[in-house]
Amino acid sequence: MKHLDINQIKEIIPHRHPFLLVDYIEDYEPGQFAVGYKCVTYREDFFKGHFPQEPVMPGVLTVEALAQVGAVAILSKEENKGKIAYFGGINKCKFKGKIVPGDKVKLETKIIKAKGPMGIGEATASVDGKVVVSAELTFMVG
């Protein structure tokens, strides 16, 4: 297993606080897949305005976190180092549960198709083994 801490992640993808949504990568294979985690705390900036009476992580930020994990897989390939992975599309996205403060979110993105600078990843976010978000993410490397 290949582990990446936050500083190593920042060497691969350009995101920074408050928009870096991955705390660590548990395992990855360049160009194939990545498995990462987001440890959600009540101090996240988005909780101030997203249902303050019942804090819930916005679904779109969960999709972004999945894309960042996928970007680690894609941008860790030698030929993509120093580039940026952009969203090309979001398909088949389903929100199946909430993410709340205290949750440790497992983020998994598997690259299922890649041709030239474009590709598709199957992505799932889960909490305690229960899938809370799934989506098919299209990316472009530039």
Side-chain angles (χ1 to χ4, degrees), residues 74-75 79-80 83-86 116-118 139-142:
I74 292 301
L75 299 177
E79 62 267 26
N80 292 333
K83 295 182 180 179
I84 296 176
Y86 298 98
M118 298 185 72
F139 62 87
M140 299 173 292
V141 176

Side-chain angles (χ1 to χ4, degrees), residues 9 14-15 17 19 24 39 54 60 62 64 77 83 91 93-94 99 118 129 131 135-136:
I9 292 169
H15 304 78
H17 179 79
F19 219 68
Y24 67 96
C39 300
E54 183 186 344
V60 295
T62 306
E64 172 63 27
K77 285 181 72 173
K83 295 182 180 179
N91 295 305
C93 188
K94 301 266 192 244
I99 298 171
M118 298 185 72
V131 174
E136 186 178 274

Side-chain angles (χ1 to χ4, degrees), residues 19-95:
F19 219 68
L20 179 55
L21 299 172
V22 181
D23 293 320
Y24 67 96
I25 297 291
E26 177 181 76
D27 194 16
Y28 73 104
E29 186 63 45
Q32 301 296 313
F33 74 92
V35 178
Y37 288 87
K38 167 74 176 156
C39 300
V40 181
T41 72
Y42 186 72
R43 291 184 298 276
E44 307 284 351
D45 289 336
F46 49 78
F47 286 135
K48 293 176 189 168
H50 195 257
F51 310 142
Q53 72 284 3
E54 183 186 344
V56 176
M57 184 171 175
V60 295
L61 292 182
T62 306
V63 174
E64 172 63 27
L66 288 165
Q68 289 179 18
V69 168
V72 168
I74 292 301
L75 299 177
S76 61
K77 285 181 72 173
E78 193 61 43
E79 62 267 26
N80 292 333
K81 289 188 178 179
K83 295 182 180 179
I84 296 176
Y86 298 98
F87 259 127
I90 303 168
N91 295 305
K92 303 177 187 174
C93 188
K94 301 266 192 244
F95 299 97

Side-chain angles (χ1 to χ4, degrees), residues 125-136:
S126 58
V127 176
D128 296 327
K130 179 182 180 259
V131 174
V132 293
V133 178
S134 63
E136 186 178 274

